[in-house]
Amino acid sequence: MVQEEIRRRNAGALLRYVHLLGAVSRAELAERMGLNRSTIMALTTELTRVGLVHEELPTDTGRAGRPSLLVRPAADRFYVLAFDVAVDRLVAARVGLGGSILERRTAVRPRAGPDLHEVVEVLARFGRQLHRAAPPDAICVGVGASYCGMIRPGDGMVRFGPDLGWVDQAFGAELGRRLGLGLPVTVGNEAHLGAQAEQQRGAGVGFQNLIYLHGDVGVGGGIIVGGRLLGGDGGYGCELGHMVVNPHDGRPCGCGSYGCLEAEVGERALLDVAGRPAELFGREAIRSVTDDADRGDPAAREALRQIGDWLGIGVANLINLFNPGMVVFGGMLCDLYPGAAAQVRSRIARNVLPVARENVRLRTAALGDDATLVGAAELGFAPLLADPLGRPADTGRRAAGSCR
Amino acid sequence: MVQEEIRRRNAGALLRYVHLLGAVSRAELAERMGLNRSTIMALTTELTRVGLVHEELPTDTGRAGRPSLLVRPAADRFYVLAFDVAVDRLVAARVGLGGSILERRTAVRPRAGPDLHEVVEVLARFGRQLHRAAPPDAICVGVGASYCGMIRPGDGMVRFGPDLGWVDQAFGAELGRRLGLGLPVTVGNEAHLGAQAEQQRGAGVGFQNLIYLHGDVGVGGGIIVGGRLLGGDGGYGCELGHMVVNPHDGRPCGCGSYGCLEAEVGERALLDVAGRPAELFGREAIRSVTDDADRGDPAAREALRQIGDWLGIGVANLINLFNPGMVVFGGMLCDLYPGAAAQVRSRIARNVLPVARENVRLRTAALGDDATLVGAAELGFAPLLADPLGRPADTGRRAAGSCR
């Protein structure tokens, strides 16, 4: 019984490596997992039997001797549906085992207005289209969604979605119902998912302590501590956007307070400081400021300097608290950070204790705007990766049956 | 082999329960550990054989039927030496298995001046005295120390001790050498140890997400995330005292910057705002302010209100980031917090998102000024608790032999 449990756990660990690394030799799997080659062979044989991986000879090893077989995820056979409710768009995608985005649908999302049913309507339609377009033998193993708000981990309830004004909306349950695939929908906060995606597949691979800042209208955060996402008691931690950095002279924040980090470095702050008209908003408006700064426009450069100083205070505070190996800037901060980097680094030098900043690196998100969608897909894959051999090989098909 | 490893791990887990709970029935151990009674009996029999626990009949169970034996730690037989280099005192103690402080020595520490050798000289002398005074059959199983600075986890190097001006001082190694007991000295940061002690034996028992703020000259922090101390890449995380809360109008901080939390709420800030002369310092001076405030003195009350506002901003930021179940105030904040609580709570209400503050509790340290010393003792007990049956029963005695 213990042996059987170990075998299943090892199969999950092996499939996770293959899922994350894409194509990996048996020899490398043996080394990474600390198992001998015959155990690896037994595991890959089983995973091949149920169709989750393929094995193949490497094209050219450049070495003499029998080459180690390459193990690849069956991206064409097993997939998830991933959804992203971002501040400016609604995205649905079919993502194959291994993590590649096979197909996607995107709609522009109005800044204000859409209620739960309107959002779910669009996403569920996209989801059904993607599902129908999948090859006939492909199996849908899970559904994950990213939402720009505070999510109750157990059931995907949106506790607070500031930009849409949603409070206690049963997003996960409703999307699951409207998809009609017989699969639960796991929902996560967009910055949490972005952090996990960047750590697993992006700029932060190999980092056990990582801070991801996701900017759009506000600033969300995902913080990896010792390899795991910081949740806190209710799963509502990481709200770095509401860290007060400017208590006595701060800009009003959407949360009702003043001087929060997101009020000082969010989209509205940058556009105001850069002197842009109040009716402008969105990524294009932000890029016009960063482009002007690149061209040497003094007002745009000064705006980036001011915003960079506030961002630097926030990042310095976070480095003092978390002693991370890496800080990743995502969302619109991907665009903003390069022009603000000097100011951020100067604040870190001034405000972080030397031993805590010895080895920290600052990067923009390697997955760009897909970080949140990729993180949502991982939510969908989680049950399969936890126990790929736990169910008879045809259970997936039965789930697929109820899917279609 | 797997069975043997499980048995040893279970023995460690059982001894840890007995160590933390003091006296616990076999029935309760079975329930907490999810093991059956015969397994528990086998484990307690073995731990009794090597002298680590005693078993006894409960005095009065108030129930019919055969009572469950009580298992107690052998506090008289197994002990650690624990040391505390605090901002105003040097403490050494002999702490028995089970965590009770059996005997202690304390010296007043001058605010400035003592170098590594002077500090180690005093502590080593105390340690040898405590060791000689132990009963002849008692066994010293480890040594732990708390230090008010940033510690390199591996070797107890003080990377930065701001109040004594220590940089890269080999405190752990030197104390071990001067004690001459043949045991390594494990060193931790005082606020980290205070957090762990409060979570294991103090106000935060049962809380998996807890923030401990330790005030004296500065403000240190220990943050428990998912049951574990937040370390970060190098073990230098939790530096909440250098979170910038007042960036443009802040008081100078010992770190060279301005407006850090510790600059705004530390000892000097309180005494200055309360109008006390610059030559006053220390706990008595702080208590004179809080006593005056209790008696209704307007200047003292206004000082606590102002300091409480800065403290509240810091605590609100931490709650947004960590969504903890509890925040514990230790060191001089134990004295300061009651008079500042209203202001702290008002900041939390204003600055923390509602879902993240739904269930958070605020408390003063239940272990008071012993929190850091108790945490240091736990460092000393860690190897024994990790594997109490790992060595032959007489190894402890041999270590004791080399101890004396």
Side-chain angles (χ1 to χ4, degrees), chain A residues 190-214:
Chain A
E190 64 175 352
H192 296 188
L193 296 178
Q196 291 176 299
E198 285 293 326
Q199 195 229 2
Q200 289 172 354
R201 300 178 178 277
V205 170
F207 285 81
Q208 294 300 298
N209 296 286
L210 174 148
I211 295 168
Y212 173 80
L213 294 98
H214 188 92

Side-chain angles (χ1 to χ4, degrees), chain B residues 33 109 117 135 180 200 301 353 369 372 380:
Chain B
M33 296 179 66
R109 203 208 84 181
H117 296 287
Q200 289 172 353
R301 295 182 80 144
L353 297 176
D369 285 343
T372 51

Side-chain angles (χ1 to χ4, degrees), chain A residues 2-3 6 150 159-160 168 207-209 223 225 229-240 242-249 255-258 260 309-310 313 316-326 347 350-351 353-356 358-359, chain B residues 2-3 6 150 159-160 168 207-209 223 225 229-240 242-249 255-258 260 309-310 313 316-326 347 350-351 353-356 358-359:
Chain A
V2 170
Q3 294 295 341
I6 290 172
M150 296 175 99
R159 295 296 313 279
F160 180 49
D168 291 339
F207 285 81
Q208 294 300 298
N209 296 286
I223 302 174
V225 173
L229 180 74
L230 186 159
D233 263 16
Y236 307 121
C238 302
E239 284 292 337
L240 52 84
H242 297 285
M243 176 163 52
V244 176
V245 291
N246 191 8
H248 289 330
D249 188 28
C255 74
S257 185
Y258 293 84
C260 298
D309 195 49
W310 292 116
I313 289 173
N317 287 351
L318 294 167
I319 296 174
N320 273 321
L321 284 168
F322 292 99
N323 185 201
M326 181 172 277
R347 270 289 175 187
R350 201 182 330 168
N351 290 115
L353 298 176
V355 300
E358 276 168 350
N359 298 308
Chain B
V2 170
Q3 295 295 342
I6 291 173
M150 295 175 100
R159 294 297 313 277
F160 180 48
D168 291 338
F207 285 81
Q208 296 299 299
N209 297 286
I223 302 173
V225 174
L229 180 74
L230 185 159
D233 264 15
Y236 307 121
C238 301
E239 285 292 336
L240 52 84
H242 298 284
M243 175 163 53
V244 177
V245 290
N246 191 9
H248 289 331
D249 187 28
C255 73
S257 184
Y258 292 84
C260 297
D309 195 50
W310 292 116
I313 290 173
N317 287 351
L318 294 168
I319 296 173
N320 273 321
L321 283 169
F322 292 98
N323 185 202
M326 180 172 279
R347 270 290 175 185
R350 201 183 328 168
N351 290 114
L353 297 176
V355 301
E358 275 168 350
N359 298 308

